[in-house]
């Protein structure tokens, strides 16, 4: 029996991004678990800002179809978002909006996989407002099943050591716990044994 495929990506492509660090660490943890982790960067899926006229004249960008296919092929998806002005960064919202405009293709990008949410911020709130907005977009906007458990990393600028691991063992335990639940729920939904 195949292992559940877990897609991981961050809503930031900034050099030294804390969200990307958290996504990378999640992929590292997942690699030690019973799953097939796939870490991607939105830098490899460049898209213009969504515009209905652009879509009408040129259709959806190839990167949107490719991202949609990655989502549809996954059994579980872990998205880590930064927080911009108490909400989602445009890079992530735009990628989700474009992916939601793709028609056809195998599987369902949003109703197929189980989603888990992560957020990070150098501040004390851990990006939880962006996490709430991501939950709203995924669950209410796109009909996705989103786990109640989430990872919120406050003080992100001081959270990682030089190898990219957490300083704080409790943070690692939390990440592992959420990834474990994601694998279990993704396997269950896909009819695989966890
Ligand atoms: C436009 C903008 C708005 C921001 N607003 C918030 C905010 O509301 N809350 C917060 O915790 N951090 C905010 N920040 C700081 C980000 O959390 C910080 O830049 C973070 O490093 C971005 O995530 P990244 O490291 O994954 O790129 C903001 C940053 C920018 C550029």
């Amino acid at each position: 029996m195949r292992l559940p495929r877990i897609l991981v990506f961050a809503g930031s492509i900034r050099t030294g991004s804390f969200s990307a660090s958290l996504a990378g660490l999640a992929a590292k943890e997942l690699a030690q678990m019973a799953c097939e982790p796939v870490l991607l960067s939105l830098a490899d899926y460049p898209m213009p800002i969504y515009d209905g006229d652009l879509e009408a004249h040129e259709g959806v960008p190839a990167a949107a179809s490719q991202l949609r296919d990655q989502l549809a092929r996954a059994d579980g998806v872990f998205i880590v978002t930064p927080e911009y002005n108490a909400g989602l960064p445009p890079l992530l919202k735009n990628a989700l909006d474009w992916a939601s405009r793709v028609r056809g293709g195998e599987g369902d990008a949003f109703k197929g996989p189980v989603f888990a949410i992560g957020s990070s911020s150098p501040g004390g709130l851990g990006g939880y407002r962006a996490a709430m907005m991501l939950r709203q977009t995924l669950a209410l906007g796109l009909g996705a099943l989103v786990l109640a458990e989430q990872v919120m990393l406050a003080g992100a600028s001081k959270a990682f050591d030089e190898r990219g691991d957490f300083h704080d063992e409790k943070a690692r335990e939390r990440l592992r716990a959420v990834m474990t639940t994601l694998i279990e729920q993704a396997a269950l939904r896909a009819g695989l044994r966890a």
Side-chain angles (χ1 to χ4, degrees), residues 93-193:
K93 184 64 165 56
N94 191 52
L96 294 173
D97 288 343
W98 268 122
S100 76
R101 302 297 295 173
V102 180
R103 298 289 168 260
E106 272 184 40
D108 192 307
F110 296 105
K111 296 197 175 88
V114 177
F115 287 78
I117 290 173
S119 62
S120 79
S121 165
L125 299 180
Y128 92 89
R129 296 166 300 185
M132 291 302 120
M133 189 172 159
L134 180 55
R135 183 173 293 280
Q136 174 169 321
T137 297
L138 289 172
L140 292 184
L142 297 164
L145 176 63
V146 185
L147 291 184
E149 295 87 347
Q150 59 188 40
V151 182
M152 291 180 294
L153 184 65
S157 57
K158 297 192 174 73
F160 303 97
D161 65 20
E162 64 286 347
R163 286 176 28 220
D165 292 323
F166 282 133
H167 284 300
D168 180 10
E169 185 58 26
K170 281 212 178 77
R172 180 166 183 256
E173 279 166 20
R174 176 69 188 163
L175 178 61
R176 275 190 78 83
V178 175
M179 291 306 100
T180 301
T181 305
L182 179 59
I183 292 170
E184 282 168 4
Q185 293 304 313
L188 209 61
R189 199 172 212 215
L192 306 167
R193 248 198 340 241

Side-chain angles (χ1 to χ4, degrees), residues 12 14 16-20 82-87 120-123 125 127 129:
S12 172
R14 183 180 72 81
S17 157
F18 306 125
S19 314
E83 181 171 281
Y84 281 7
N85 296 317
S120 79
S121 165
L125 299 180
R129 296 166 300 185

Side-chain angles (χ1 to χ4, degrees), residues 7-150:
L7 187 68
V8 181
F9 63 95
S12 172
I13 56 173
R14 183 180 72 81
T15 305
S17 157
F18 306 125
S19 314
S21 297
L22 180 53
L25 204 45
K28 210 163 132 183
E29 293 291 339
L30 286 164
Q32 298 171 40
M33 299 171 165
C35 70
E36 182 197 340
V38 179
L39 177 65
L40 63 78
S41 167
L42 289 181
D44 296 324
Y45 298 82
M47 301 171 208
I49 289 289
Y50 179 83
D51 166 16
D53 289 346
L54 189 66
E55 184 187 14
H57 295 130
E58 296 177 24
V60 295
S65 297
Q66 289 157 8
L67 181 63
R68 177 252 168 243
D69 288 347
Q70 286 281 11
L71 290 163
R73 275 203 297 273
D75 302 301
V77 180
F78 182 51
I79 304 178
V80 185
T81 184
E83 181 171 281
Y84 281 7
N85 296 317
L88 279 185
L91 174 78
L92 178 55
K93 184 64 165 56
N94 191 52
L96 294 173
D97 288 343
W98 268 122
S100 76
R101 302 297 295 173
V102 180
R103 298 289 168 260
E106 272 184 40
D108 192 307
F110 296 105
K111 296 197 175 88
V114 177
F115 287 78
I117 290 173
S119 62
S120 79
S121 165
L125 299 180
Y128 92 89
R129 296 166 300 185
M132 291 302 120
M133 189 172 159
L134 180 55
R135 183 173 293 280
Q136 174 169 321
T137 297
L138 289 172
L140 292 184
L142 297 164
L145 176 63
V146 185
L147 291 184
E149 295 87 347
Q150 59 188 40

